[in-house]
Structure formats: C-alpha cells, structure tokens
Amino acid sequence: MNDQKKGFVDVLVGLQWGDEGKGKNIDDLLLSKVYSGVARFQGGANAGHTLNSAGVSFIGHIIPSGCLHQDMELYIGSEVVVDVISLVKEIKELKEKGFDIAPRLYISNRAKLVSYMHSYLDLADEAYRSNTGSKIGTTARGIGPAYSDSRARRGLLIGDVMFADFDDKVEKLSLFHNNLLKLYKEEYGFEIATDKIEESKKNWIEAIEELKKMNICDLSYLIHERLESGKNILAEGAQGLMLDIDFGDYPNVTSSNTLPANMCLGLGIPHSYIRNIYGVMKAYTTKVGGGNFPARIKDEAVEKLFQDAGHEFGATTGRPRMCGWLDLFALEYAIKLSGVNKVFINKSDICPTDKVKVVTGYIKDGKNTPEFPLRLAEITDVVTEDLPGWGQENFGVTDKSKISPELKTYMEYVENKLKNLGAEIVSVGTGPSREHTIDWNK
Ligand code: GDP
Ligand code: IMO
Ligand code: MG
C-alpha cells in the first residue's frame, strides 16, 4: 500500500462476458462519498452501462458511470478509444437530464480517437469473417479497427486535435481507410455508399469541433495530483474479464485488455495505488455476439425464460444475450487473473426455473480439464451441479433475512466458492435500481 497520506484507486471490473451490472454498482459505490472521481480506462462506445437512480435512467457508452453524481469528476484514460459522436451525444443527453458534466469531464490527450471510417471497417471485417464462418458479432462501434490503427502507429490521438497538422493526419488516415474499403469491395464484395461515408464525416467533423472545447489534458499528471492530495478514484472497467484480448477466447474477444492490470496503463499510475479490486457478476451468465459459450443453457425454451425474465438484451446494440448457468470454472479463472477481492452479485431477483445448474468444470478430450483452454471450441461438455431455483420473489428485497431460503442456499454456496478464491461478497442486487441492494455483511 502507498503512503497513508495519499489517495488510493479502487478498480471495478466485470467478472463474466460483460453486462454484469457494472454501471449500477459504480453508481452505488459513489454513495459512500469515498471517491472524488470515476475513470474509464479501456474500451470504447462498445460498452453500455445502465444507470437507474433517483428517478433518472441513463445508458453510458463512453461517459464514466459517475455522471449522475453532481460533484464527481469524470476521467477518460489513454487506453480508451473515444467515439467523439457518442461523447457529444451523451454530454447533451445528460445536460437535458440536469447533469452538466462538461466542466468536470477530463479526457486524456493520449486517448485514441475513433475515426468516422472505423465503424465501416468494423462492418467490412465482420462481412469478410461471415464468409469464412468466423464472425465475432462485434458491436460495430469501430473498436477493433481503432485499436489496430493505434497499435500500427498510424492512428489519431485525442490530443492531435489541438495541432496544426490534424487535418493533414485525418486526410492521410482516410486515404489509407479508403484503400482498405476498396480492398474489401474488390475481394469480398462489401460496399458502403459514398454519401453515407460523407455524412458520417460531416457529423464527425462537427463533433471534433465540440471536442476541442472540452478539457483535454495529460490525464496522468492530473490523476497523480488528485491522488497526491489525498483524493480517491474509482476506476471503471468496461466489457468483462472473459472478453480480455489476451486471456479470453481469442479471437472472440474485444480489442482491449479488460483486466485491472490495464488500469495502470489507462491512467498512467503505478499499481501501488490500488486498494480494492471489485468484481461484478450475475447470479447466472450471459454473452452477446459470436463465439463459444460452454455454460449456455442447452434447452432453448429454458434459455428464453432467463432472457425474458432478466430482460437480457444488449444495452448498446439491443441484441438478445445468450443465457447460461453460473460458470464457476470461468469465474475462478477470472478471479485468479484479476485479483478481485470483493464481489457484487446482481440479478438475484431473476430465476424463472425450479432448479438451476452451476458449471464447475469443463470437459476436453473426454476429461475434466484443469486449465481454462486456449480455445473454448475444444470444450465438448461441462460438469454441473444442481441447486434449487430461488424464485422471482426476491425483487427489491434489501434485508438479507427476508430473501427466499433457496436464494440463501444459492448465495451461501457461491460465497463459499468465492471465499476459497480469496474474495468476499459485498452486496447482492435484487433489481435494476441502486436502491435494490442487499448489504451482504449487515
Ligand atoms: P454493465 O454493462 O455491466 O453496466 O451492465 P448493463 O447495463 O449492460 O446490463 C445490466 C442490466 O441489468 C441493466 O439493464 C441493469 O439495469 C440491470 N440490472 C443490474 N442489476 C440488476 C439486478 O440486480 N436485477 C435486475 N433485475 N436487473 C439488474
Ligand atoms: P459492457 O461494458 C457485452 C462483445 C461483443 C463481441 C465482442 C467484440 O456493457 O459490459 P467489440 O465491439 O468490442 O469489437 O466486440 O465483445 N462486447 C460486449 N459484450 N458487454 C459489453 O460491454 C461488450 N463490449 C463488447 O458483443 O462479442
Ligand atoms: Mg453493458
């Protein structure tokens, strides 16, 4: 732990394949008044973080989930790929809801700028992959192409908008992108109408003008200053640990590191500032997009029951989420990789079946595998245990002693598993609002 006089950073990440309820738990944690700012450190507008509090609903794609707290500073770090059109749209939407966040939003000049061509390249790449049967099912927010350009050192940085050569850089990159699109057209027949691209360019240039008026800074210096003056920061992960580009089921992953280790790179601070690493999970599992999902509920009708009861439709794309049983094998892997020590469990109000399963192992080559595999496609079956369903009557319960006996059994089972991994339950969510929470240790 760092010097006692200094502030600390708590990190919050999703423990599954995304949409665990991270936005709600960030928003809820801020009520403790421990933090003075919330930072997004990776990902882009592929995220969809739902906030429901004090009668206000908001889905943040790029804006950090502290936006509904009037005094909270909001930071966007250098590992984020910034969709400037989404950014401007969300700032406007928040202003209409009574939250003028522009003065308290700080964007790293080292963050990556998503260009108006990236979402088209994302679509083009997906069309190409469809032909080869390996579609990822991306959010089409240009995430892969934006990170590719960044790593290939031809991308645009947020801070570039302040330099005289910005237009020149945009033209050079656009030329490169046009050539790529030509290739996709000639080789794979994928085409985007020129007037559509022109319209996107126009909207993007307008948004860039808005961006120029925002607080663009060397965020690392600002964060260091806040921490050195004793202020604490909550760092918000996007996506989920199972979508990490290095440790997930490549290539069915997102294009950034979702592990808390990436927080240090996104904010430009050493790991010694980290205090707690919070993990968010649901009482079952969901996944949106392509790729393998070993814990997926095999009976389609049962899967549909969870999808409907849990309103499992993507907050960014509206796509139905695949539903699976709680996957303890994947959870163990995620906790080991991340060092999560405190856990939020959401959706304990959702259980439309009398019995549930939990996945405790993966079968590969006819045997229980001790390791999370490089390719999930190798997993032919899963090992499960049966537990009683806990019913739908726990909606809105805030008192631990009032939950159904079956939910108590289920949570105690999960609690024991987590304890063996060095993590404890902090709270259990019984509904979408921040008020629908059981403080598990009370
Ligand atoms: P995030 O991406 O991790 O922030 O999660 P999303 O916002 O994409 O998806 C979580 C969804 O579950 C949202 O619609 C939330 O309002 C909702 N939600 C969060 N916690 C609970 C809960 O405990 N019960 C129920 N029924 N809904 C919840
Ligand atoms: P939040 O932060 C769930 C998934 C996509 C796709 C894969 C790659 O709301 O939890 P990308 O657009 O990143 O190139 O898509 O990752 N994905 C998410 N799934 N929640 C998210 O974010 C996601 N962000 C990306 O569905 O399978
Ligand atoms: Mg989401």
PDB file of all heavy atoms in Angstrom, residues 17-20 22 46-49 122 136-141 143-144 237-240 243 252-255 287-290 316 319, ligand 2:
ATOM      1  N   TRP A  17     -18.838 -12.157 -19.121  1.00  0.00           N
ATOM      2  CA  TRP A  17     -18.675 -11.738 -20.525  1.00  0.00           C
ATOM      3  C   TRP A  17     -19.312 -10.354 -20.767  1.00  0.00           C
ATOM      4  O   TRP A  17     -19.723 -10.039 -21.866  1.00  0.00           O
ATOM      5  CB  TRP A  17     -19.304 -12.775 -21.462  1.00  0.00           C
ATOM      6  CG  TRP A  17     -18.411 -13.927 -21.807  1.00  0.00           C
ATOM      7  CD1 TRP A  17     -17.613 -14.028 -22.916  1.00  0.00           C
ATOM      8  CD2 TRP A  17     -18.217 -15.147 -21.100  1.00  0.00           C
ATOM      9  NE1 TRP A  17     -16.941 -15.228 -22.921  1.00  0.00           N
ATOM     10  CE2 TRP A  17     -17.290 -15.940 -21.826  1.00  0.00           C
ATOM     11  CE3 TRP A  17     -18.734 -15.671 -19.891  1.00  0.00           C
ATOM     12  CZ2 TRP A  17     -16.884 -17.205 -21.399  1.00  0.00           C
ATOM     13  CZ3 TRP A  17     -18.311 -16.925 -19.483  1.00  0.00           C
ATOM     14  CH2 TRP A  17     -17.401 -17.666 -20.227  1.00  0.00           C
ATOM     15  N   GLY A  18     -19.408  -9.544 -19.734  1.00  0.00           N
ATOM     16  CA  GLY A  18     -19.987  -8.207 -19.887  1.00  0.00           C
ATOM     17  C   GLY A  18     -21.409  -8.138 -19.389  1.00  0.00           C
ATOM     18  O   GLY A  18     -22.045  -9.162 -19.097  1.00  0.00           O
ATOM     19  N   ASP A  19     -21.898  -6.902 -19.217  1.00  0.00           N
ATOM     20  CA  ASP A  19     -23.284  -6.633 -18.831  1.00  0.00           C
ATOM     21  C   ASP A  19     -23.646  -7.231 -17.473  1.00  0.00           C
ATOM     22  O   ASP A  19     -24.788  -7.641 -17.238  1.00  0.00           O
ATOM     23  CB  ASP A  19     -24.266  -7.153 -19.911  1.00  0.00           C
ATOM     24  CG  ASP A  19     -23.930  -6.582 -21.273  1.00  0.00           C
ATOM     25  OD1 ASP A  19     -23.469  -5.431 -21.324  1.00  0.00           O
ATOM     26  OD2 ASP A  19     -24.124  -7.278 -22.276  1.00  0.00           O
ATOM     27  N   GLU A  20     -22.697  -7.253 -16.576  1.00  0.00           N
ATOM     28  CA  GLU A  20     -22.921  -7.823 -15.243  1.00  0.00           C
ATOM     29  C   GLU A  20     -23.672  -6.847 -14.340  1.00  0.00           C
ATOM     30  O   GLU A  20     -24.143  -7.230 -13.262  1.00  0.00           O
ATOM     31  CB  GLU A  20     -21.577  -8.176 -14.582  1.00  0.00           C
ATOM     32  CG  GLU A  20     -20.729  -9.209 -15.327  1.00  0.00           C
ATOM     33  CD  GLU A  20     -19.775  -8.582 -16.337  1.00  0.00           C
ATOM     34  OE1 GLU A  20     -19.936  -7.373 -16.640  1.00  0.00           O
ATOM     35  OE2 GLU A  20     -18.878  -9.290 -16.832  1.00  0.00           O
ATOM     36  N   LYS A  22     -22.176  -3.467 -14.063  1.00  0.00           N
ATOM     37  CA  LYS A  22     -21.062  -2.632 -13.571  1.00  0.00           C
ATOM     38  C   LYS A  22     -21.501  -1.188 -13.331  1.00  0.00           C
ATOM     39  O   LYS A  22     -21.157  -0.585 -12.309  1.00  0.00           O
ATOM     40  CB  LYS A  22     -19.908  -2.641 -14.599  1.00  0.00           C
ATOM     41  CG  LYS A  22     -19.305  -4.010 -14.825  1.00  0.00           C
ATOM     42  CD  LYS A  22     -18.225  -3.994 -15.885  1.00  0.00           C
ATOM     43  CE  LYS A  22     -18.690  -3.845 -17.306  1.00  0.00           C
ATOM     44  NZ  LYS A  22     -19.510  -4.940 -17.832  1.00  0.00           N
ATOM     45  N   ASN A  46     -18.373   0.612 -27.258  1.00  0.00           N
ATOM     46  CA  ASN A  46     -18.943  -0.739 -27.268  1.00  0.00           C
ATOM     47  C   ASN A  46     -19.613  -1.043 -25.928  1.00  0.00           C
ATOM     48  O   ASN A  46     -20.491  -1.890 -25.835  1.00  0.00           O
ATOM     49  CB  ASN A  46     -17.870  -1.807 -27.586  1.00  0.00           C
ATOM     50  CG  ASN A  46     -16.583  -1.649 -26.789  1.00  0.00           C
ATOM     51  OD1 ASN A  46     -16.370  -0.646 -26.131  1.00  0.00           O
ATOM     52  ND2 ASN A  46     -15.716  -2.639 -26.863  1.00  0.00           N
ATOM     53  N   ALA A  47     -19.196  -0.340 -24.883  1.00  0.00           N
ATOM     54  CA  ALA A  47     -19.800  -0.536 -23.554  1.00  0.00           C
ATOM     55  C   ALA A  47     -21.221   0.029 -23.528  1.00  0.00           C
ATOM     56  O   ALA A  47     -21.548   0.954 -24.271  1.00  0.00           O
ATOM     57  CB  ALA A  47     -18.954   0.168 -22.500  1.00  0.00           C
ATOM     58  N   GLY A  48     -22.047  -0.546 -22.670  1.00  0.00           N
ATOM     59  CA  GLY A  48     -23.373   0.007 -22.414  1.00  0.00           C
ATOM     60  C   GLY A  48     -23.622  -0.184 -20.934  1.00  0.00           C
ATOM     61  O   GLY A  48     -23.883  -1.300 -20.493  1.00  0.00           O
ATOM     62  N   HIS A  49     -23.447   0.872 -20.155  1.00  0.00           N
ATOM     63  CA  HIS A  49     -23.567   0.776 -18.701  1.00  0.00           C
ATOM     64  C   HIS A  49     -24.839   1.492 -18.253  1.00  0.00           C
ATOM     65  O   HIS A  49     -24.957   2.702 -18.389  1.00  0.00           O
ATOM     66  CB  HIS A  49     -22.321   1.376 -18.023  1.00  0.00           C
ATOM     67  CG  HIS A  49     -21.053   0.638 -18.337  1.00  0.00           C
ATOM     68  ND1 HIS A  49     -19.827   1.031 -17.888  1.00  0.00           N
ATOM     69  CD2 HIS A  49     -20.836  -0.505 -19.039  1.00  0.00           C
ATOM     70  CE1 HIS A  49     -18.900   0.172 -18.332  1.00  0.00           C
ATOM     71  NE2 HIS A  49     -19.499  -0.757 -19.026  1.00  0.00           N
ATOM     72  N   ASP A 122     -15.138  -1.900 -39.324  1.00  0.00           N
ATOM     73  CA  ASP A 122     -15.609  -2.950 -38.408  1.00  0.00           C
ATOM     74  C   ASP A 122     -16.650  -3.816 -39.140  1.00  0.00           C
ATOM     75  O   ASP A 122     -16.563  -5.059 -39.158  1.00  0.00           O
ATOM     76  CB  ASP A 122     -16.239  -2.255 -37.179  1.00  0.00           C
ATOM     77  CG  ASP A 122     -16.358  -3.159 -35.964  1.00  0.00           C
ATOM     78  OD1 ASP A 122     -16.251  -4.380 -36.123  1.00  0.00           O
ATOM     79  OD2 ASP A 122     -16.580  -2.622 -34.852  1.00  0.00           O
ATOM     80  N   ILE A 136     -17.336 -12.381 -35.424  1.00  0.00           N
ATOM     81  CA  ILE A 136     -17.176 -12.153 -33.978  1.00  0.00           C
ATOM     82  C   ILE A 136     -18.484 -11.667 -33.359  1.00  0.00           C
ATOM     83  O   ILE A 136     -18.773 -11.943 -32.207  1.00  0.00           O
ATOM     84  CB  ILE A 136     -16.034 -11.137 -33.733  1.00  0.00           C
ATOM     85  CG1 ILE A 136     -14.700 -11.768 -34.111  1.00  0.00           C
ATOM     86  CG2 ILE A 136     -15.996 -10.668 -32.269  1.00  0.00           C
ATOM     87  CD1 ILE A 136     -13.530 -10.826 -34.102  1.00  0.00           C
ATOM     88  N   GLY A 137     -19.285 -10.957 -34.165  1.00  0.00           N
ATOM     89  CA  GLY A 137     -20.501 -10.366 -33.595  1.00  0.00           C
ATOM     90  C   GLY A 137     -20.148  -9.133 -32.792  1.00  0.00           C
ATOM     91  O   GLY A 137     -20.589  -8.963 -31.652  1.00  0.00           O
ATOM     92  N   THR A 138     -19.314  -8.267 -33.384  1.00  0.00           N
ATOM     93  CA  THR A 138     -18.890  -7.058 -32.662  1.00  0.00           C
ATOM     94  C   THR A 138     -20.075  -6.107 -32.494  1.00  0.00           C
ATOM     95  O   THR A 138     -21.141  -6.307 -33.090  1.00  0.00           O
ATOM     96  CB  THR A 138     -17.776  -6.287 -33.421  1.00  0.00           C
ATOM     97  OG1 THR A 138     -18.366  -5.680 -34.579  1.00  0.00           O
ATOM     98  CG2 THR A 138     -16.629  -7.185 -33.826  1.00  0.00           C
ATOM     99  N   THR A 139     -19.845  -5.050 -31.739  1.00  0.00           N
ATOM    100  CA  THR A 139     -20.882  -4.038 -31.541  1.00  0.00           C
ATOM    101  C   THR A 139     -20.913  -3.043 -32.706  1.00  0.00           C
ATOM    102  O   THR A 139     -21.707  -2.110 -32.688  1.00  0.00           O
ATOM    103  CB  THR A 139     -20.613  -3.256 -30.244  1.00  0.00           C
ATOM    104  OG1 THR A 139     -19.313  -2.659 -30.354  1.00  0.00           O
ATOM    105  CG2 THR A 139     -20.657  -4.156 -29.023  1.00  0.00           C
ATOM    106  N   ALA A 140     -20.028  -3.215 -33.673  1.00  0.00           N
ATOM    107  CA  ALA A 140     -19.923  -2.320 -34.851  1.00  0.00           C
ATOM    108  C   ALA A 140     -19.604  -0.876 -34.455  1.00  0.00           C
ATOM    109  O   ALA A 140     -19.975   0.059 -35.162  1.00  0.00           O
ATOM    110  CB  ALA A 140     -21.208  -2.383 -35.690  1.00  0.00           C
ATOM    111  N   ARG A 141     -18.919  -0.710 -33.344  1.00  0.00           N
ATOM    112  CA  ARG A 141     -18.542   0.636 -32.906  1.00  0.00           C
ATOM    113  C   ARG A 141     -17.109   1.003 -33.337  1.00  0.00           C
ATOM    114  O   ARG A 141     -16.532   1.955 -32.828  1.00  0.00           O
ATOM    115  CB  ARG A 141     -18.659   0.760 -31.372  1.00  0.00           C
ATOM    116  CG  ARG A 141     -20.072   0.649 -30.862  1.00  0.00           C
ATOM    117  CD  ARG A 141     -20.908   1.819 -31.399  1.00  0.00           C
ATOM    118  NE  ARG A 141     -22.153   2.000 -30.685  1.00  0.00           N
ATOM    119  CZ  ARG A 141     -23.310   1.412 -31.004  1.00  0.00           C
ATOM    120  NH1 ARG A 141     -23.373   0.600 -32.035  1.00  0.00           N
ATOM    121  NH2 ARG A 141     -24.396   1.633 -30.290  1.00  0.00           N
ATOM    122  N   ILE A 143     -14.335  -0.615 -32.787  1.00  0.00           N
ATOM    123  CA  ILE A 143     -13.350  -0.849 -31.721  1.00  0.00           C
ATOM    124  C   ILE A 143     -12.086  -1.534 -32.251  1.00  0.00           C
ATOM    125  O   ILE A 143     -10.974  -1.038 -32.037  1.00  0.00           O
ATOM    126  CB  ILE A 143     -13.991  -1.702 -30.584  1.00  0.00           C
ATOM    127  CG1 ILE A 143     -15.273  -1.029 -30.054  1.00  0.00           C
ATOM    128  CG2 ILE A 143     -12.989  -1.993 -29.468  1.00  0.00           C
ATOM    129  CD1 ILE A 143     -15.097   0.339 -29.469  1.00  0.00           C
ATOM    130  N   GLY A 144     -12.269  -2.646 -32.968  1.00  0.00           N
ATOM    131  CA  GLY A 144     -11.109  -3.384 -33.499  1.00  0.00           C
ATOM    132  C   GLY A 144     -10.255  -2.503 -34.421  1.00  0.00           C
ATOM    133  O   GLY A 144      -9.040  -2.369 -34.212  1.00  0.00           O
ATOM    134  N   GLY A 237     -14.052  -0.552 -15.191  1.00  0.00           N
ATOM    135  CA  GLY A 237     -13.764  -1.424 -16.329  1.00  0.00           C
ATOM    136  C   GLY A 237     -14.969  -1.500 -17.242  1.00  0.00           C
ATOM    137  O   GLY A 237     -16.112  -1.352 -16.806  1.00  0.00           O
ATOM    138  N   ALA A 238     -14.709  -1.726 -18.525  1.00  0.00           N
ATOM    139  CA  ALA A 238     -15.801  -1.987 -19.465  1.00  0.00           C
ATOM    140  C   ALA A 238     -15.611  -3.402 -20.001  1.00  0.00           C
ATOM    141  O   ALA A 238     -14.578  -4.037 -19.759  1.00  0.00           O
ATOM    142  CB  ALA A 238     -15.779  -0.971 -20.591  1.00  0.00           C
ATOM    143  N   GLN A 239     -16.635  -3.891 -20.712  1.00  0.00           N
ATOM    144  CA  GLN A 239     -16.681  -5.278 -21.176  1.00  0.00           C
ATOM    145  C   GLN A 239     -16.645  -6.219 -19.957  1.00  0.00           C
ATOM    146  O   GLN A 239     -17.277  -5.923 -18.971  1.00  0.00           O
ATOM    147  CB  GLN A 239     -15.527  -5.602 -22.151  1.00  0.00           C
ATOM    148  CG  GLN A 239     -15.697  -4.941 -23.528  1.00  0.00           C
ATOM    149  CD  GLN A 239     -15.542  -3.438 -23.507  1.00  0.00           C
ATOM    150  OE1 GLN A 239     -14.486  -2.919 -23.194  1.00  0.00           O
ATOM    151  NE2 GLN A 239     -16.592  -2.729 -23.850  1.00  0.00           N
ATOM    152  N   GLY A 240     -15.932  -7.294 -20.014  1.00  0.00           N
ATOM    153  CA  GLY A 240     -15.881  -8.236 -18.887  1.00  0.00           C
ATOM    154  C   GLY A 240     -14.544  -8.936 -19.014  1.00  0.00           C
ATOM    155  O   GLY A 240     -13.926  -8.940 -20.089  1.00  0.00           O
ATOM    156  N   LEU A 243     -13.684 -11.246 -21.854  1.00  0.00           N
ATOM    157  CA  LEU A 243     -13.515 -10.664 -23.198  1.00  0.00           C
ATOM    158  C   LEU A 243     -12.139 -10.029 -23.363  1.00  0.00           C
ATOM    159  O   LEU A 243     -11.872  -9.339 -24.354  1.00  0.00           O
ATOM    160  CB  LEU A 243     -14.622  -9.627 -23.464  1.00  0.00           C
ATOM    161  CG  LEU A 243     -16.036 -10.196 -23.677  1.00  0.00           C
ATOM    162  CD1 LEU A 243     -17.081  -9.077 -23.658  1.00  0.00           C
ATOM    163  CD2 LEU A 243     -16.134 -10.966 -24.986  1.00  0.00           C
ATOM    164  N   ASN A 252     -12.609 -14.393 -30.208  1.00  0.00           N
ATOM    165  CA  ASN A 252     -13.953 -13.958 -29.793  1.00  0.00           C
ATOM    166  C   ASN A 252     -13.885 -13.102 -28.535  1.00  0.00           C
ATOM    167  O   ASN A 252     -14.423 -13.458 -27.483  1.00  0.00           O
ATOM    168  CB  ASN A 252     -14.841 -15.183 -29.591  1.00  0.00           C
ATOM    169  CG  ASN A 252     -15.003 -15.946 -30.882  1.00  0.00           C
ATOM    170  OD1 ASN A 252     -15.504 -15.401 -31.868  1.00  0.00           O
ATOM    171  ND2 ASN A 252     -14.540 -17.179 -30.910  1.00  0.00           N
ATOM    172  N   VAL A 253     -13.198 -12.012 -28.651  1.00  0.00           N
ATOM    173  CA  VAL A 253     -12.913 -11.129 -27.517  1.00  0.00           C
ATOM    174  C   VAL A 253     -13.071  -9.691 -27.994  1.00  0.00           C
ATOM    175  O   VAL A 253     -13.319  -9.459 -29.176  1.00  0.00           O
ATOM    176  CB  VAL A 253     -11.459 -11.346 -27.021  1.00  0.00           C
ATOM    177  CG1 VAL A 253     -11.310 -12.692 -26.344  1.00  0.00           C
ATOM    178  CG2 VAL A 253     -10.456 -11.233 -28.178  1.00  0.00           C
ATOM    179  N   THR A 254     -12.885  -8.736 -27.115  1.00  0.00           N
ATOM    180  CA  THR A 254     -12.831  -7.349 -27.571  1.00  0.00           C
ATOM    181  C   THR A 254     -11.359  -7.015 -27.845  1.00  0.00           C
ATOM    182  O   THR A 254     -10.481  -7.871 -27.681  1.00  0.00           O
ATOM    183  CB  THR A 254     -13.496  -6.393 -26.563  1.00  0.00           C
ATOM    184  OG1 THR A 254     -13.617  -5.103 -27.188  1.00  0.00           O
ATOM    185  CG2 THR A 254     -12.720  -6.292 -25.256  1.00  0.00           C
ATOM    186  N   SER A 255     -11.076  -5.777 -28.264  1.00  0.00           N
ATOM    187  CA  SER A 255      -9.699  -5.483 -28.700  1.00  0.00           C
ATOM    188  C   SER A 255      -8.855  -4.799 -27.632  1.00  0.00           C
ATOM    189  O   SER A 255      -7.792  -4.262 -27.947  1.00  0.00           O
ATOM    190  CB  SER A 255      -9.727  -4.635 -29.969  1.00  0.00           C
ATOM    191  OG  SER A 255     -10.249  -5.395 -31.012  1.00  0.00           O
ATOM    192  N   LYS A 287     -23.944 -13.800 -22.535  1.00  0.00           N
ATOM    193  CA  LYS A 287     -22.917 -13.432 -23.528  1.00  0.00           C
ATOM    194  C   LYS A 287     -23.643 -12.926 -24.764  1.00  0.00           C
ATOM    195  O   LYS A 287     -24.670 -13.483 -25.146  1.00  0.00           O
ATOM    196  CB  LYS A 287     -22.064 -14.659 -23.862  1.00  0.00           C
ATOM    197  CG  LYS A 287     -20.967 -14.366 -24.883  1.00  0.00           C
ATOM    198  CD  LYS A 287     -20.102 -15.594 -25.095  1.00  0.00           C
ATOM    199  CE  LYS A 287     -18.951 -15.391 -26.054  1.00  0.00           C
ATOM    200  NZ  LYS A 287     -18.971 -14.313 -26.980  1.00  0.00           N
ATOM    201  N   VAL A 288     -23.105 -11.869 -25.346  1.00  0.00           N
ATOM    202  CA  VAL A 288     -23.716 -11.353 -26.572  1.00  0.00           C
ATOM    203  C   VAL A 288     -22.675 -11.379 -27.683  1.00  0.00           C
ATOM    204  O   VAL A 288     -21.486 -11.188 -27.432  1.00  0.00           O
ATOM    205  CB  VAL A 288     -24.338  -9.949 -26.318  1.00  0.00           C
ATOM    206  CG1 VAL A 288     -23.304  -8.932 -25.935  1.00  0.00           C
ATOM    207  CG2 VAL A 288     -25.129  -9.447 -27.512  1.00  0.00           C
ATOM    208  N   GLY A 289     -23.126 -11.682 -28.916  1.00  0.00           N
ATOM    209  CA  GLY A 289     -22.178 -11.782 -30.025  1.00  0.00           C
ATOM    210  C   GLY A 289     -21.878 -13.239 -30.329  1.00  0.00           C
ATOM    211  O   GLY A 289     -22.583 -14.142 -29.867  1.00  0.00           O
ATOM    212  N   GLY A 290     -20.814 -13.476 -31.124  1.00  0.00           N
ATOM    213  CA  GLY A 290     -20.489 -14.850 -31.523  1.00  0.00           C
ATOM    214  C   GLY A 290     -19.599 -15.527 -30.505  1.00  0.00           C
ATOM    215  O   GLY A 290     -19.476 -15.082 -29.365  1.00  0.00           O
ATOM    216  N   THR A 316     -26.199  -1.719 -25.765  1.00  0.00           N
ATOM    217  CA  THR A 316     -25.598  -0.954 -26.858  1.00  0.00           C
ATOM    218  C   THR A 316     -26.246  -1.291 -28.188  1.00  0.00           C
ATOM    219  O   THR A 316     -26.575  -0.403 -28.970  1.00  0.00           O
ATOM    220  CB  THR A 316     -24.074  -1.228 -26.918  1.00  0.00           C
ATOM    221  OG1 THR A 316     -23.513  -0.827 -25.675  1.00  0.00           O
ATOM    222  CG2 THR A 316     -23.398  -0.454 -28.042  1.00  0.00           C
ATOM    223  N   ARG A 319     -29.218  -6.432 -29.122  1.00  0.00           N
ATOM    224  CA  ARG A 319     -29.238  -7.855 -29.499  1.00  0.00           C
ATOM    225  C   ARG A 319     -29.597  -8.723 -28.292  1.00  0.00           C
ATOM    226  O   ARG A 319     -29.212  -8.400 -27.160  1.00  0.00           O
ATOM    227  CB  ARG A 319     -27.852  -8.297 -30.000  1.00  0.00           C
ATOM    228  CG  ARG A 319     -27.437  -7.675 -31.291  1.00  0.00           C
ATOM    229  CD  ARG A 319     -26.028  -8.083 -31.662  1.00  0.00           C
ATOM    230  NE  ARG A 319     -25.036  -7.565 -30.725  1.00  0.00           N
ATOM    231  CZ  ARG A 319     -23.734  -7.838 -30.783  1.00  0.00           C
ATOM    232  NH1 ARG A 319     -23.284  -8.656 -31.705  1.00  0.00           N
ATOM    233  NH2 ARG A 319     -22.899  -7.314 -29.923  1.00  0.00           N
TER     234      ARG A 319
HETATM  235  P1  IMO B   2     -20.210  -3.703 -21.296  1.00  0.00           P
HETATM  236  O1  IMO B   2     -19.153  -2.722 -20.847  1.00  0.00           O
HETATM  237  C1  IMO B   2     -21.106  -7.319 -23.573  1.00  0.00           C
HETATM  238  C2  IMO B   2     -18.613  -8.065 -27.097  1.00  0.00           C
HETATM  239  C3  IMO B   2     -19.328  -8.030 -28.441  1.00  0.00           C
HETATM  240  C4  IMO B   2     -18.488  -9.030 -29.214  1.00  0.00           C
HETATM  241  C5  IMO B   2     -17.081  -8.786 -28.692  1.00  0.00           C
HETATM  242  C6  IMO B   2     -16.251  -7.870 -29.582  1.00  0.00           C
HETATM  243  O2  IMO B   2     -21.543  -3.124 -21.479  1.00  0.00           O
HETATM  244  O3  IMO B   2     -20.167  -4.924 -20.436  1.00  0.00           O
HETATM  245  P2  IMO B   2     -16.274  -5.239 -29.994  1.00  0.00           P
HETATM  246  O4  IMO B   2     -17.350  -4.321 -30.462  1.00  0.00           O
HETATM  247  O5  IMO B   2     -15.732  -4.909 -28.653  1.00  0.00           O
HETATM  248  O6  IMO B   2     -15.188  -5.404 -31.013  1.00  0.00           O
HETATM  249  O7  IMO B   2     -16.979  -6.683 -29.899  1.00  0.00           O
HETATM  250  O8  IMO B   2     -17.229  -8.184 -27.411  1.00  0.00           O
HETATM  251  N1  IMO B   2     -18.775  -6.856 -26.256  1.00  0.00           N
HETATM  252  C7  IMO B   2     -19.575  -6.789 -25.192  1.00  0.00           C
HETATM  253  N2  IMO B   2     -20.443  -7.702 -24.687  1.00  0.00           N
HETATM  254  N3  IMO B   2     -20.933  -6.134 -22.963  1.00  0.00           N
HETATM  255  C8  IMO B   2     -20.038  -5.223 -23.438  1.00  0.00           C
HETATM  256  O9  IMO B   2     -19.727  -4.104 -22.784  1.00  0.00           O
HETATM  257  C9  IMO B   2     -19.350  -5.519 -24.639  1.00  0.00           C
HETATM  258  N4  IMO B   2     -18.457  -4.854 -25.389  1.00  0.00           N
HETATM  259  C10 IMO B   2     -18.101  -5.685 -26.377  1.00  0.00           C
HETATM  260  O10 IMO B   2     -20.664  -8.409 -28.324  1.00  0.00           O
HETATM  261  O11 IMO B   2     -18.850 -10.339 -28.844  1.00  0.00           O
END
